[in-house]
Amino acid sequence: MTVELQELLTDLADSSWAPDPSRRLARGIEERIVAHIPSRLRMALGADEAAQIARLVAWERCKQLAADPPQDGPSWGYLANKVRWRLADAVRANTLRSRRHPLTQHLPEQQDTTGPSELGTLLDEIAIELSRQGLPMAQARRYIVIASEGPRFERSSIVARLIAAGATRAQGEGFAWLLRGGAAKPAALARLAAGHAPSEIFRDPVVRRWFLAAAGLDPHFSAGRSGLGRSAGVAWRTEPTGPGLARTA
């Protein structure tokens, strides 16, 4: 593909992200970014996860570049560097997690042969659902971009970036789980990319709480076990325990 990134982003901005130029950008990301992910990163993350993270970072970065282009103009090389930084960070996070849990076994990932995911549509589904919960659409889009920026894509870094941008900690945690998820609970974005129906995903009580937190309606949300398992506004009851139970807890 010989079309320069600047030309694609100009067409997208002029057309308000119409379907045809959006498809051209998606093809460009596949050909210039996803197809050239270093093999060591594909092996470390699995082909599907590496490709999906690359699409997320590239697409959201293009959204920002189209709205606020740099003086020298964007380039495919600049975009590729952003993607490699994020993938390298994901590899480091996985390495640390495997060191903490040496007995965890990872199932081999299945190669996705259905073609590139409509990433922009998936992120729009999340932004629309956040607006239904009361978060302004412009703010939802801005927080999604901030969450995907920078070379670190682990949950703690996403939370830190959003707090620095004015979000509460609970909102940062909610966005981190919606976009990044965890080993035991896939992100809402990952489930959408896997083909699950949005209505099914958004009815999941855990995912609903992520949306409430991201929209600022669950100020006590946290990423711990209690934050994922209980309903908003419900506190855990602490049962008295005897000395023996306290010692063995």
Side-chain angles (χ1 to χ4, degrees):
M1 184 169 182
T2 58
V3 179
E4 292 299 326
L5 183 58
Q6 178 63 62
E7 179 182 342
L8 278 173
L9 295 180
T10 300
D11 291 346
L12 283 162
D14 292 343
S15 66
S16 298
W17 291 79
D20 183 60
S22 294
R23 283 192 291 269
R24 289 169 56 206
L25 177 60
R27 287 198 301 270
I29 289 173
E30 290 298 312
E31 296 173 9
R32 302 295 292 269
I33 304 297
V34 177
H36 297 285
I37 296 173
S39 58
R40 61 184 179 81
L41 297 176
R42 288 183 183 273
M43 291 178 62
L45 293 171
D48 290 345
E49 182 174 354
Q52 191 63 17
I53 294 175
R55 292 174 187 129
L56 170 64
V57 176
W59 186 275
E60 285 305 312
R61 185 60 185 171
C62 285
K63 284 270 190 180
Q64 189 176 45
L65 289 172
D68 185 21
Q71 291 184 349
D72 298 335
S75 67
W76 288 111
Y78 168 82
L79 199 59
N81 282 337
K82 284 282 185 180
V83 170
R84 282 194 292 269
W85 291 339
R86 181 62 51 75
L87 292 173
D89 178 73
V91 171
R92 286 193 293 270
N94 284 351
T95 300
L96 291 174
R97 186 161 53 246
S98 66
R99 287 175 180 171
R100 290 195 297 266
H101 307 284
L103 300 181
T104 300
Q105 298 295 322
H106 297 279
L107 296 176
E109 298 194 30
Q110 181 178 358
Q111 177 69 40
D112 180 10
T113 58
T114 60
S117 299
E118 295 292 339
L119 184 58
T121 302
L122 303 183
L123 292 171
D124 286 343
E125 291 277 4
I126 291 175
I128 290 169
E129 182 63 22
L130 285 166
S131 70
R132 291 196 186 106
Q133 300 295 337
L135 188 68
M137 179 65 77
Q139 190 173 4
R141 293 294 315 172
R142 175 172 171 263
Y143 281 168
I144 288 174
V145 171
I146 291 170
S148 64
E149 272 298 291
R152 301 183 68 84
F153 197 52
E154 59 192 23
R155 286 194 305 274
S156 60
S157 298
I158 292 173
V159 173
R161 283 196 294 273
L162 288 171
I163 291 175
T168 66
R169 175 165 293 278
Q171 283 183 296
E173 297 279 7
F175 272 96
W177 281 95
L178 285 171
L179 300 178
R180 180 65 175 88
K185 198 70 176 176
L189 179 63
R191 293 174 64 180
L192 287 169
H196 297 191
S199 58
E200 169 197 342
I201 299 169
F202 298 163
R203 280 198 305 266
D204 183 326
V206 175
V207 177
R208 285 176 60 190
R209 188 156 190 225
W210 295 347
F211 274 110
L212 289 173
L217 302 178
D218 187 356
H220 303 295
F221 178 83
S222 90
R225 290 182 61 185
S226 60
L228 293 177
R230 65 176 182 237
S231 300
V234 177
W236 290 109
R237 290 174 55 193
T238 304
E239 300 293 342
T241 60
L245 290 177
R247 284 195 299 269
T248 59

